Amino acid sequence: MTEKTSPAPADASDAAALDESRGNQGNGLNSTDRVAERPSIAPRDQRVIWLLLAATFVVILNETIMSVAIPKLMDDLHIDALAAQWLSTAFMLTMAVVIPMTGFLLQRFTTRQVFVAAMSLFSLGTLVAALAPGFGVLVVARVIQACGTAMMLPLLMTTLMTLVPPALRGRTMGNVSIVISVAPAVGPTISGVILNFLAWRWIFLIVLPIALVMLLIGIRFVENVTETQKSRIDVLSVILAAFGFGGLVYGLTVSGETGAAASGNQLMLWGSLGVGVVSLAAFITRQLLLQRKDRALLDLRTFRSPIFTVAIVLMAITTASLFGVIIVLPLYLQHVLHLDVLGTGLLLLPGGLVMGLAAPFVGRLYDRFGPRVLVVPGAILVSLVMWSLTMVTQTTPVYLVLIAHITLSLGLALMFTPLFTAGLGAVPPHLYSHGSAILGTVQQVGGAAGTALLVAVLSAQTAALAAGGATLDAATAGGIRAAFLAAAIISVFGVVGSFFIAKPADAPSEAAFAH
């Protein structure tokens, strides 16, 4: 049994505002009543949401700012692509291990406590990264950063689902995407500018004071808006999750090694994959047992909603393609087309801006028409871009790559907001924290797996072509095409799945999700 406690509002007006802001969730009002009441978000709740958004902007900026820096780090730290990708893979893998715990953390601790812990860890990791003497410490720093980031994303999504009425969720998620999309847009550009004039450490030295300011502002102004439960964390579930996700991603990474390294690592490859599969199976089994006592680390009753399940599958597919391309595209631009880091960052800027500008329109269209009319064309656009990128060569004009990236960003804008909104809206309020944690976990595991798979394919094909006598540029271009082909094949499954998404009811029945 768990004992629920609710944070005390500052005064009666705050309590009334909180009740009003939650709109019509679960109150049984029909659509005519909802229109008449014109649901809105109270000023107190808007302040909390925007503070969380600002902090999330900082951590997302940190994640995307590394994409352009990877080739530079490869040269400065004398590492190859397989090693360098761990700066991104370790970050996403850590998030995949930590995010399942956030479902428990968001129920056990208050909004302010989780926020302070998340931004403190992120700031510490940023400081360590700025002072890192070598590659190993830099990876450790990225892991510490990821621990903080992993808590921020589910905290934001759970808070939004708790405070925003169903009738306003699409619009709010769209407006949220404007802020969040600025970070991916300016991250690579900022990285390019920094690396064009300064050492790579300045990437972290610039982010650090911003993170510290957000931490201080949050300590002062973030208010507690969710209920808490006194419960214990299941350590065995945490261990099983770590071995499960870690084994799968590490196995994919090892699969990219070629030649003698590959023959010597076959045992490691299949051992890692085997440990991953067995551990995940054990993790799922344990969650099914623990959720009967309301003690699951990750409550899998969310999957009783078909809409949530479809959204999860589409998010995994889309993220696997996206994060792989985020790593591969800068490698192509710099190592094949020979753009400098600044040029690479500027080329990726318009796509991020398009995603941000499209977000509010996507949110409003979701509220009016539902997710399918957005997700289907979005998935088709993403797939078409992936297939077009399988034809890039050493002489592909830069403007064609720019058009492809802008189109890819538009397709992703049509998908991400509807998938998040429909997926989380399909579960009852008491499972919001677990639904947010599952979405975040799948997103990060998909991203880590996609990155590992595409880099593995790129490395293997490049080595094979080089062994056959191809020049370095030609061999790298061939490896890039093979990596994009893998992403294109994955994207086809996203197109198929997009036809099965639908808009959930405003208030899912909690009885359907009971024991």
Side-chain angles (χ1 to χ4, degrees):
M1 294 293 293
T2 59
E3 178 185 350
K4 293 187 177 182
T5 61
S6 180
D11 51 40
S13 62
D14 277 349
L18 180 59
D19 291 338
E20 178 186 354
S21 71
R22 291 176 179 173
N24 304 311
Q25 294 180 16
N27 60 8
L29 296 178
N30 58 40
S31 59
T32 302
D33 294 330
R34 282 192 294 271
V35 172
E37 290 194 1
R38 306 177 72 88
S40 61
I41 307 172
R44 170 183 181 267
D45 297 338
Q46 289 179 344
R47 183 169 62 249
V48 173
I49 289 173
W50 283 106
L51 284 170
L52 294 178
L53 275 172
T56 304
F57 170 85
V58 176
V59 299
I60 292 179
L61 174 68
N62 166 78
E63 187 170 2
T64 60
I65 206 171
M66 289 297 295
S67 60
V68 175
I70 292 295
K72 179 69 172 177
L73 288 167
M74 290 171 58
D75 295 334
D76 289 354
L77 300 179
H78 307 292
I79 54 178
D80 58 18
L82 280 170
Q85 63 126 347
W86 274 100
L87 291 171
S88 295
T89 300
F91 190 97
M92 291 183 289
L93 180 57
T94 302
M95 290 185 67
V97 173
V98 175
I99 286 177
M101 290 186 284
T102 61
F104 162 81
L105 294 174
L106 293 176
Q107 291 184 333
R108 180 64 179 83
F109 300 101
T110 66
T111 308
R112 180 183 285 113
Q113 288 173 332
V114 176
F115 177 88
V116 171
M119 291 307 297
S120 296
L121 283 171
F122 178 80
S123 300
L124 174 62
T126 304
L127 175 62
V128 174
L131 303 176
F135 175 72
V137 176
L138 185 57
V139 172
V140 172
R142 292 286 286 169
V143 169
I144 298 173
Q145 284 184 319
C147 290
T149 304
M151 288 188 277
M152 279 302 308
L153 296 177
L155 176 62
L156 172 63
M157 300 307 297
T158 301
T159 303
L160 286 175
M161 294 302 297
T162 302
L163 300 182
V164 179
L168 298 178
R169 283 177 185 164
R171 180 175 303 181
T172 304
M173 289 285 190
N175 291 333
V176 165
S177 297
I178 300 175
V179 178
I180 294 179
S181 295
V182 172
V186 303
T189 305
I190 291 175
S191 180
V193 171
I194 292 172
L195 295 175
N196 201 51
F197 300 102
L198 300 169
W200 58 265
R201 296 181 189 278
W202 281 94
I203 292 176
F204 303 103
L205 289 172
I206 289 175
V207 171
L208 180 59
I210 301 174
L212 291 174
V213 168
M214 289 310 308
L215 173 60
L216 294 176
I217 293 175
I219 291 174
R220 173 65 179 85
F221 292 106
V222 168
E223 301 180 57
N224 301 322
V225 297
T226 56
E227 293 184 349
T228 60
Q229 297 178 357
K230 293 183 178 180
S231 56
R232 294 176 299 173
I233 193 169
D234 184 61
V235 178
L236 180 57
S237 294
V238 175
I239 296 173
L240 290 174
F243 277 97
F245 300 133
L248 288 178
V249 175
Y250 184 72
L252 286 170
T253 304
V254 172
S255 70
E257 299 183 6
T258 56
S263 60
N265 282 333
Q266 287 299 310
L267 179 60
M268 181 68 71
L269 164 63
W270 295 110
S272 297
L273 293 175
V275 169
V277 171
V278 172
S279 298
L280 279 180
F283 174 78
I284 292 172
T285 301
R286 184 157 183 82
Q287 302 318 295
L288 294 174
L289 293 174
L290 290 176
Q291 71 186 23
R292 299 175 183 175
K293 305 175 183 179
D294 288 328
R295 289 185 53 205
L297 183 69
L298 212 56
D299 199 318
L300 301 181
R301 284 175 291 188
T302 52
F303 287 101
R304 294 183 182 178
S305 165
I307 296 175
F308 180 83
T309 302
V310 171
I312 282 290
V313 173
L314 288 175
M315 188 63 67
I317 292 171
T318 304
T319 308
S321 298
L322 170 64
F323 277 85
V325 171
I326 285 176
I327 297 297
V328 172
L329 194 57
L331 291 175
Y332 170 69
L333 293 171
Q334 295 181 42
H335 289 180
V336 178
L337 299 186
H338 301 293
L339 270 66
D340 57 23
V341 290
L342 179 58
T344 301
L346 291 174
L347 186 141
L348 299 176
L349 178 61
L353 294 177
V354 166
M355 187 180 296
L357 292 173
F361 300 101
V362 171
R364 286 170 171 78
L365 289 172
Y366 174 89
D367 286 334
R368 185 172 181 181
F369 300 108
R372 188 174 299 161
V373 297
L374 300 166
V375 175
V376 171
I380 292 173
L381 279 179
V382 169
S383 186
L384 288 175
V385 171
M386 295 300 184
W387 285 105
S388 70
L389 290 173
T390 63
M391 297 182 285
V392 296
T393 66
Q394 300 161 259
T395 59
T396 299
V398 173
Y399 74 87
L400 291 180
V401 181
L402 174 63
I403 293 173
H405 186 254
I406 291 174
T407 308
L408 174 67
S409 300
L410 179 60
L412 293 172
L414 292 173
M415 295 186 70
F416 278 125
T417 296
L419 288 178
F420 272 120
T421 309
L424 291 176
V427 300
H430 76 283
L431 292 179
Y432 283 158
S433 61
H434 290 282
S436 299
I438 291 172
L439 271 173
T441 301
V442 170
Q443 186 181 20
Q444 295 305 317
V445 171
T451 300
L453 177 61
L454 265 63
V455 172
V457 171
L458 186 159
S459 301
Q461 182 66 6
T462 299
L465 293 173
T471 64
L472 179 60
D473 282 1
T476 304
I480 295 289
R481 287 193 297 273
F484 284 138
L485 177 60
I489 293 172
I490 294 172
S491 71
V492 172
F493 294 96
V495 174
V496 175
S498 66
F499 288 93
F500 295 92
I501 195 71
K503 189 173 185 177
D506 284 350
S509 171
E510 298 199 9
F513 292 80
H515 303 291

